[in-house]
Amino acid sequence: MKIKVVLIIAFLLALCFCLWAVVYKNSGEYKNNKLKEEQAEVARLEMEAKKAKVQSILSNYEFPSKTLILASTEDFIKDLEMVLSNEDETLVLVDKKHPLPVGYVPPELVKLDGNNPATGISASYVISRNDLSLTPETEKILEVMASDAREEGITLVVSSTYRSYDYQKSIYERNVRLYGQEVTDRESARAGHSQHQLGTAIDFGSITDDFEYTKPGQWLFANAKKYGFSLSFPKGMEPVTGYRYECWHYRYIGVNACNLQEKWFDDVQQYMLEFINYWRTIE
């Protein structure tokens, strides 16, 4: 008798569980949990694919920070994707091996006339010529940076900005005539290979080695990255960048990119841009 009662109770419990399972599987809670599990699995597989891509890049191309990236690959990918979430031309690789498209001109340029385009009043920076222009975002951040520098008694002088293909061609050919091919190739880009054609690069001050020792030069070296400006051709990196040290040449890449550059790429712009170029082009 007792055994029959136990069996009946067990049967009823099993039946209740089956009924609950049927109801639960058709409930919103079950579907939501299932969706979350599926999304988590998709995210996991995507991350594994991205990690494999990073490993592939680092196995084919040498970066000094290779060990660091491989040790914390997921953190690196998260930082990289935050920088690349705004897909634009700010981080395009332009160097001796990677030219811009033929006929490239920035979509929009702002002429620098000594006034702040947003307010019409005098800009915080000084221009050395009247034929200078930048992309709107670059000029906007330049004004913010120059204003903060002024508060510390520093005046930033803008000496060179956007250069068209033809203008860069004339500069390069002139320098070859004056200094020869070898010297020119260390400090002047061929037409189509210049960061200046992007409209996001700025030469400050005297455009000479002495700028490093001036107050503006020292202020920029210490503070430019806080505003998203990166020194393109740092000291001792000519074998990497292709150009000798230029203490006056800064390129606007954004604060997040500057942080990525400093954290993962030994604070060298060229390393970061090369990696991003591989990331964008390698499947």
Side-chain angles (χ1 to χ4, degrees):
M1 185 67 179
K2 290 182 178 180
I3 294 175
K4 289 183 178 180
V5 172
V6 171
L7 291 174
I8 291 171
I9 293 173
F11 173 76
L12 292 174
L13 289 173
L15 181 61
C16 288
F17 177 79
C18 290
L19 290 173
W20 173 85
V22 170
V23 173
Y24 177 67
K25 283 188 176 181
N26 288 283
S27 69
E29 180 183 359
Y30 172 82
K31 291 179 180 178
N32 286 337
N33 289 338
K34 194 66 176 175
L35 179 61
K36 289 178 181 178
E37 289 175 4
E38 291 172 353
Q39 290 174 336
E41 180 62 12
V42 170
R44 185 188 70 78
L45 293 174
E46 287 179 347
M47 178 57 74
E48 289 303 314
K50 292 170 185 175
K51 289 167 69 174
K53 186 175 180 178
V54 169
Q55 291 168 354
S56 174
I57 293 172
L58 294 179
S59 67
N60 288 285
Y61 307 97
E62 284 299 321
F63 290 93
S65 54
K66 175 178 180 177
T67 302
L68 174 64
I69 294 174
L70 290 177
S72 305
T73 309
E74 287 194 21
D75 290 338
F76 168 72
I77 291 171
K78 290 175 183 176
D79 289 345
L80 176 67
E81 290 188 326
M82 180 177 66
V83 169
L84 298 181
S85 61
N86 181 24
E87 287 287 348
D88 55 24
E89 297 172 334
T90 305
L91 298 175
V92 66
L93 177 62
V94 184
D95 59 17
K96 291 184 176 182
K97 297 179 180 179
H98 301 86
L100 287 166
V102 175
Y104 174 82
V105 178
E108 188 177 359
L109 289 168
V110 173
K111 179 177 173 57
L112 309 188
D113 60 5
N115 293 317
N116 182 341
T119 64
I121 63 176
S122 295
S124 298
Y125 54 85
V126 173
I127 56 174
S128 64
R129 306 197 320 251
N130 293 320
D131 59 346
L132 304 178
S133 56
L134 291 167
T135 64
E137 178 69 8
T138 305
E139 192 285 329
K140 178 182 176 181
I141 304 303
L142 168 64
E143 171 59 29
V144 173
M145 181 170 71
S147 177
D148 289 349
R150 281 244 172 157
E151 291 184 1
E152 297 182 36
I154 304 293
T155 299
L156 299 182
V157 178
V158 178
S159 300
S160 185
T161 52
Y162 167 73
R163 297 175 191 163
S164 68
Y165 179 97
D166 290 338
Y167 185 58
Q168 185 67 32
K169 184 173 184 290
S170 67
I171 290 176
Y172 180 83
E173 292 175 347
R174 180 198 65 191
N175 288 342
V176 169
R177 290 194 301 271
L178 292 174
Y179 310 114
Q181 189 81 55
E182 184 176 350
V183 172
T184 298
D185 282 336
R186 292 185 63 210
E187 51 190 272
S188 183
R190 295 171 185 261
H193 294 259
S194 173
Q195 290 188 352
H196 283 287
Q197 195 175 338
L198 293 167
T200 56
I202 303 174
D203 288 342
F204 289 95
S206 58
I207 317 186
T208 64
D209 295 338
D210 294 336
F211 182 69
E212 177 182 2
Y213 307 103
T214 65
K215 288 183 178 180
Q218 293 172 351
W219 190 93
L220 281 168
F221 187 78
N223 296 283
K225 69 180 64 174
K226 300 175 186 176
Y227 302 88
F229 283 93
S230 167
L231 185 68
S232 295
F233 312 118
K235 186 177 293 185
M237 298 305 295
E238 184 173 347
V240 175
T241 65
Y243 298 99
R244 74 178 187 89
Y245 175 43
E246 292 191 357
C247 56
W248 58 85
H249 181 111
Y250 286 81
R251 174 178 171 179
Y252 178 71
I253 58 174
V255 174
N256 288 334
C258 283
N259 291 338
L260 184 76
Q261 170 185 307
E262 183 174 25
K263 182 177 179 181
W264 297 103
F265 293 100
D266 291 350
D267 208 14
V268 177
Q269 182 192 118
Q270 183 72 19
Y271 287 144
M272 180 186 67
L273 294 180
E274 284 183 2
F275 187 95
I276 289 174
N277 186 63
Y278 294 137
W279 180 264
R280 285 171 166 170
T281 56
I282 295 177
E283 293 300 329

